[in-house]
Each structure stands twice: as structure tokens, then as C-alpha cells.
Amino acid sequence: TKNPGSVVGDRWQFKSSRDPVQIGAWWAQNPGYGIALHVGRSGAVAFDLDANSLAVIVEAGHADIAEALRSAGGINGTRTTGDRGHYLFACSPDEFGNSAGAFMRWGEVRCRNGVIIAAPSPHPDAEAKGGQYRQITSGTLTLVPEVLRAVLAESADSADPLNYAELDEFLEENAADFGCGTTDCRH
């Protein structure tokens, strides 16, 4: 599946591992698990381009952003063709949140408590949309280029994920702001 063993259950962000024994145990439990990179904890930030081509960024007047993405030391494609994929750069562990800032119109950004699925995990859109996790480039990750740092400067800092009890408490405290209008709904 697309799900790695470490994301099963609560507090997954503290369960990711590089330990081959732990990874082997997860795969012994379920050989269908996928592979995920816990980007922020690994000292990486991933720009997840949802457009099929970097040309859309150039056409929007941001050739500098497209060129910065092309310079990534690691690119994990998410389609059998085109530029759609994860563009990886080195950063300090958990340096950025998961807000895309000005990159939002083209995709998402993953860092603190963020994961990306990596090759050779099966892609859920393999048949319908030509999805495939494939390594396009690999090697030493380059530092986040300044133009991408500027894009992320527009991002708000993101919080750690809430557990179910914390989410329930938040919704109880803010029920007036979130009224859904559904009869008998607590929140």
C-alpha cells in the first residue's frame, strides 16, 4: 500500500526509523507497506509539484522558481512522464512547516512532521492517472535556494498534529466558530 508501517497508529511522527531491524520488522508485519521519507526530521524539505510541467511556473513569470526546482539534488517523480513530483532540498531538521506559501498555486511543501512516499512504493493513481513513484535524480541534497526560501517566508509556521483528545478539546472550545449546522452535531 501507500502507507508505511511507521504511520500506523498514534504519534507516527515519533516512530519513523532508519534502523534496518525496525524496518525489517515492519515489512515482516506487512510486506505491502510502502516507503516514506519523514522529510523534516531527516533534514529535508520537499516541494511537491502538482503540475505536470515546470513550464506553468515559468509561464506565471517565475522562471527563477522553476530553475531552483530543477537544481534539486533529489527528485522523486510521481507520474510516469512529466515534471510532477517531489523536489528535495537540505535544510536544518524541521526548519520549515508544511505551508506552501507562494508555492501553493503549484503544489505543497512538506517539512516538519511531513512525509513523502518514495519509490518503489505503489502509487494509488497508477492505472487511472499514470501515477508512479520513480527516482529521477538522486545524490547529495543541495541547500534550499534563496528563491525558494523567499517563497516559504510567506508560509505561516505550522503546529504539530493534534491527537484525537486534543482535537476534540479544540473543537469543544471553538464550537461557536465551527458550527456545521447539522442536527445533533456536537461541533
Side-chain angles (χ1 to χ4, degrees):
T1 70
K2 183 175 176 178
N3 295 327
S6 61
V7 299
V8 176
D10 280 340
R11 303 184 58 79
W12 64 266
Q13 66 272 25
F14 302 109
K15 297 178 184 175
S16 63
S17 179
R18 297 178 200 196
D19 178 11
V21 173
Q22 176 61 67
I23 293 166
W26 283 325
W27 266 325
Q29 179 184 354
N30 182 346
Y33 281 143
I35 299 171
L37 171 64
H38 190 168
V39 283
R41 187 172 175 191
S42 298
V45 58
F47 288 78
D48 184 357
L49 179 67
D50 289 333
N52 290 326
S53 174
L54 287 167
V56 298
I57 299 173
V58 174
E59 291 164 7
H62 296 282
D64 53 344
I65 292 174
E67 194 55 39
L69 291 172
R70 282 188 192 99
S71 75
I75 302 172
N76 183 31
T78 58
R79 294 292 186 268
T80 54
T81 61
D83 298 323
R84 191 172 183 144
H86 306 130
Y87 294 77
L88 298 160
F89 295 93
C91 64
S92 297
D94 296 328
E95 182 176 353
F96 302 104
N98 289 308
S99 297
F103 187 74
M104 188 180 332
R105 67 175 106 166
W106 304 297
E108 301 169 329
V109 173
R110 297 281 178 256
C111 192
R112 184 179 313 119
N113 286 333
V115 298
I116 60 167
I117 306 301
S121 300
H123 196 288
D125 294 332
E127 299 199 18
K129 298 178 184 174
Q132 180 186 17
Y133 295 110
R134 61 191 174 97
Q135 202 63 40
I136 296 172
T137 63
S138 60
T140 303
L141 298 184
T142 55
L143 291 175
V144 182
E146 287 305 315
V147 66
L148 296 179
R149 283 185 175 280
V151 165
L152 294 178
E154 297 180 28
S155 301
D157 197 27
S158 60
D160 288 335
L162 301 177
N163 64 36
Y164 291 118
E166 292 166 331
L167 175 61
D168 197 50
E169 179 182 340
F170 172 82
L171 291 172
E172 287 294 334
E173 290 172 2
N174 297 280
D177 297 329
F178 295 111
C180 70
T182 302
T183 305
D184 298 325
C185 177
R186 289 183 18 201
H187 303 115

